Amino acid sequence: MLGRTIWISAVAALVLPLFSAPSFADEPFRLFGCSVEDSESDFISLYGVEQEDGTWTRLQFLIAKNGIISALVPGQPLAGSGPFYFSNSGGPEGYYAQVRFNWGGRNYALHMLEIPPGPGEEYNMRQRSAFVRITEPNGAVYDLPCGAEIDEYIGYMQRAMNCDMTNRYGAAGCDFDVWPERAVDDKLPEGFAP
């Protein structure tokens, strides 16, 4: 555990300066985080800085594998919109949210699913499943599945990002408070942990 703590501290020391904040009041907040398949050295994170007026800046998406940062996607600039797009919906499988973005010729999609408790399990915590799908410029596709521990703040993600108007529900598909119910033919992407 000590080795993991030292490693995480070392990575934090590398990552936090990337948020070149104009003042000490701006601190990065982790909007999403998980280990990749319960690895101690591979993780996925999404950070941002919330401003006093409620807007978000300096979103950063990070993938670290074997202790090495393999993807670092800079996002929202201090003014204007960045490359991150949000959408969500509900359905019998549960609440589904997606963040998509493009960087370095690759397409990324962070898929998150909150599965409601089954019949007679009202008091059980909801299960969460998430993965990142990466599509290479040559069309090759691979998934990075999250382990059991997933931290997510989807309401903040919705406020921090652009509405993904490519979702089939348009602007309604970006409303975190009243999300649309998925149509029968609107299937979730394969890749969620069972």
Side-chain angles (χ1 to χ4, degrees):
M1 189 62 152
L2 178 60
R4 182 177 185 185
T5 302
I6 291 170
W7 183 86
I8 290 172
S9 297
V11 169
L14 290 171
V15 172
L16 292 180
L18 297 171
F19 303 98
S20 53
S23 74
F24 292 111
D26 293 338
E27 292 187 25
F29 179 79
R30 190 165 83 166
L31 297 165
F32 178 87
C34 75
S35 61
V36 178
E37 295 183 310
D38 296 320
S39 167
E40 290 194 16
S41 63
D42 300 354
F43 65 90
I44 301 164
S45 297
L46 176 62
Y47 290 90
V49 175
E50 185 176 17
Q51 304 300 315
E52 288 183 17
D53 65 358
T55 60
W56 287 78
T57 59
R58 293 188 297 282
L59 284 156
Q60 297 276 331
F61 180 80
L62 174 72
I63 297 174
K65 296 180 77 178
N66 300 316
I68 299 169
I69 296 172
S70 62
L72 177 62
V73 180
Q76 312 296 89
L78 287 173
S81 61
F84 293 89
Y85 294 89
F86 173 86
S87 63
N88 64 175
S89 61
E93 308 92 338
Y95 170 75
Y96 168 68
Q98 174 184 289
V99 170
R100 75 171 179 84
F101 50 96
N102 303 315
W103 186 256
R106 292 184 175 98
N107 295 321
Y108 295 83
L110 170 60
H111 300 281
M112 299 161 282
L113 181 65
E114 184 174 293
I115 305 161
E121 298 179 341
E122 326 50 73
Y123 299 108
N124 288 355
M125 291 186 62
R126 293 173 176 252
Q127 295 179 357
R128 292 180 176 160
S129 183
F131 67 97
V132 173
R133 176 160 292 156
I134 301 169
T135 306
E136 298 286 352
N138 66 5
V141 177
Y142 60 96
D143 294 341
L144 295 176
C146 285
E149 296 293 322
I150 299 171
D151 295 323
E152 59 190 12
Y153 296 91
I154 295 175
Y156 290 146
M157 289 183 215
Q158 184 261 339
R159 291 198 299 263
M161 298 175 190
N162 302 305
C163 176
D164 189 351
M165 293 299 288
T166 65
N167 82 81
R168 72 187 297 174
Y169 306 104
C174 302
D175 189 336
F176 176 69
D177 297 316
V178 186
W179 22 272
E181 283 293 311
R182 284 186 298 281
V184 174
D185 65 335
D186 190 5
K187 302 295 183 193
L188 293 177
E190 294 181 11
F192 287 110

